[in-house]
Amino acid sequence: MVKISKRLRRIMPDWLFAKSHDATTKTEHGDPDHLDLAQESLEALIEDPRVPESVRESLEQDYQEVQAMLDRLEHGHIHIAVFGRVSVGKSALLNALLGEQRFSTSPLHGETTRAERGQWQEYESGGVFLIDTPGINEVDGEAREQLAREVAGRSDLVLFVVDSDLTETEVQALKEIAALHRPIILVLNKADRYSTAEQETLLASLKRHTRGIVEENNVVTASADPAERLVIRVDEAGNEDEEWRRPPVNVSQVKERLWDILQAEGQTLAALNASLFASDLSDKVGERILQARRELGQKLIRKYCATKGVAVALNPVPVADLVAAAVVDVSMIVHLSKLYNLPLTRNEAGDLVKTIGGQMALLMGTIWAVHFISSALKLGSWGLSSLVTGGAQGAVAYYSTWIVGQAAERYLAQGKSWGEGGPKLVVREILDSLDRDSILKQAREDIRLRLQRGT
């Protein structure tokens, strides 16, 4: 069954989550309503009002693909992409299936430079489209290779064409397509070049190398564009006559396997592909929203850090400034929780501050000791001395709030969860990832600017 990520679950409306879950479950069991459910899931993804416009714009191409999939589902269309190295006969195979010269073929590498498609009228529904793609190993053709992979990822079924035993490039490409959960038919093209014994040896090798990637009954042979052969005829008088003949095209195994799959599960493949794509896009949407929230969250945290640093630096009362600092941390977490659409009460935020603070005390006790010492020094220090000690303590307060903010943001980004390692591991990871000197330097600069502005 298609799995929906926790991040996706958090940003999906409950009714859409239920429909997506039902659609993927029923699709696997062949429920007749799976196409309708897949359509509803895609429509809900497009129309979800909670997706920011900036996220939609950054994923515009993906949203266009969702609309194209909706059109395909509505008309019952199925897309089959051909995939493989250059010059293995991909275009020739599609031409042979179509019964016409729809796609260009050439002895030169890289003849196919963009994805093209043709309608396979031979299949009874007339809604099957064959898609040609560029070769995956074209020299200086990284863009073409990326295009080929994207087309294969959007298709309902892939014809992977080879003309010999598998290369490392082909094995890797097969694994990448299989990871997209697309059915694969592996076609040994140009089979006319090999004797019957050689074909059997090659097929055995292909099945062995693709075990667990391609089903054995999906490994077939084809002769899409047989090469001419010199035929010598000898008459009754013993005279020899030479003639070049082209053997007949033979793609019967490919047709039969395609027919079997399309008859048994053609529409199910389309619905499952649509659900997979919707799930992938939803994850992308979730990641972009999370990224946007994190960017805003970092600005928010820095603002509260500076506020707390100034408050602590200017407060002449020892220890009391620590109480005020805790209030700032609680306010920051409440604000962060609203940003992540997971609102917390002030009591809940206070408990979170205590949890994070407790782990910080265990992992960075020295810093907290400096924090209290600096506070105590204020009791007998006024004027310049007070500003010096207060500024030092303010920087430490800034640093501690930065850690609290990072830990709280991690907690919220994971759906109000610390994860398997708990808060101690999260705080430790944050401490290990921070450059304390850099943050303290930034703290002093932020506090100085705030004091100059009188805020």
Side-chain angles (χ1 to χ4, degrees), residues 257-327:
R257 192 66 197 121
L258 280 174
W259 280 334
D260 288 344
I261 292 175
L262 293 176
Q263 290 285 0
E265 50 187 325
Q267 294 304 309
T268 298
L269 286 178
L272 181 58
N273 184 25
S275 297
L276 284 167
F277 185 79
S279 178
D280 290 342
L281 177 56
S282 296
D283 277 348
K284 286 183 181 179
V285 169
E287 288 169 3
R288 295 294 172 85
I289 292 175
L290 190 61
Q291 180 181 351
R293 286 173 174 168
R294 279 179 171 158
E295 290 173 358
L296 291 173
Q298 292 302 306
K299 293 179 181 178
L300 180 69
I301 291 169
R302 185 169 167 179
K303 176 182 177 181
Y304 274 95
C305 285
T307 299
K308 178 177 174 180
V310 170
V312 169
L314 295 180
N315 193 334
V317 181
V319 182
D321 55 0
L322 301 180
V323 176
V327 172

Side-chain angles (χ1 to χ4, degrees), residues 86-103:
V86 295
S87 298
V88 294
K90 301 186 300 295
S91 300
L93 176 63
L94 296 186
N95 287 338
L97 290 170
L98 292 172
E100 60 175 291
Q101 292 299 305
R102 172 67 177 79
F103 303 100

Side-chain angles (χ1 to χ4, degrees), residues 8-33:
L8 167 61
R9 176 65 189 97
R10 291 199 301 274
I11 69 169
M12 274 181 123
D14 291 338
W15 66 271
L16 173 54
F17 171 76
K19 286 185 180 294
S20 298
H21 178 76
D22 290 344
T24 51
T25 303
K26 293 182 179 180
T27 293
E28 288 183 285
H29 294 87
D31 190 285
D33 292 331

Side-chain angles (χ1 to χ4, degrees), residues 232-241:
I232 301 177
R233 299 176 61 184
V234 181
D235 61 20
E236 294 179 355
N239 298 316
E240 294 184 354
D241 181 28

Side-chain angles (χ1 to χ4, degrees), residues 189-190 192 223-229 245-250:
N189 194 25
K190 304 181 182 180
D192 54 290
S223 299
D225 186 18
E228 287 187 327
R229 294 179 181 176
R245 292 183 181 178
R246 187 181 299 276
V249 170
N250 183 359

Side-chain angles (χ1 to χ4, degrees), residues 349-368:
D351 290 340
L352 194 58
V353 169
K354 291 177 183 176
T355 299
I356 298 171
Q359 297 305 321
M360 290 170 64
L362 291 174
L363 297 171
M364 47 183 290
T366 303
I367 291 178
W368 284 106

Side-chain angles (χ1 to χ4, degrees), residues 195-216:
S195 67
T196 301
E198 289 172 332
Q199 285 187 37
E200 291 177 354
T201 300
L202 272 174
L203 287 172
S205 178
L206 291 173
K207 290 176 181 178
R208 183 173 64 256
H209 289 147
T210 60
R211 187 171 293 121
I213 303 174
V214 180
E215 295 181 14
E216 282 199 12

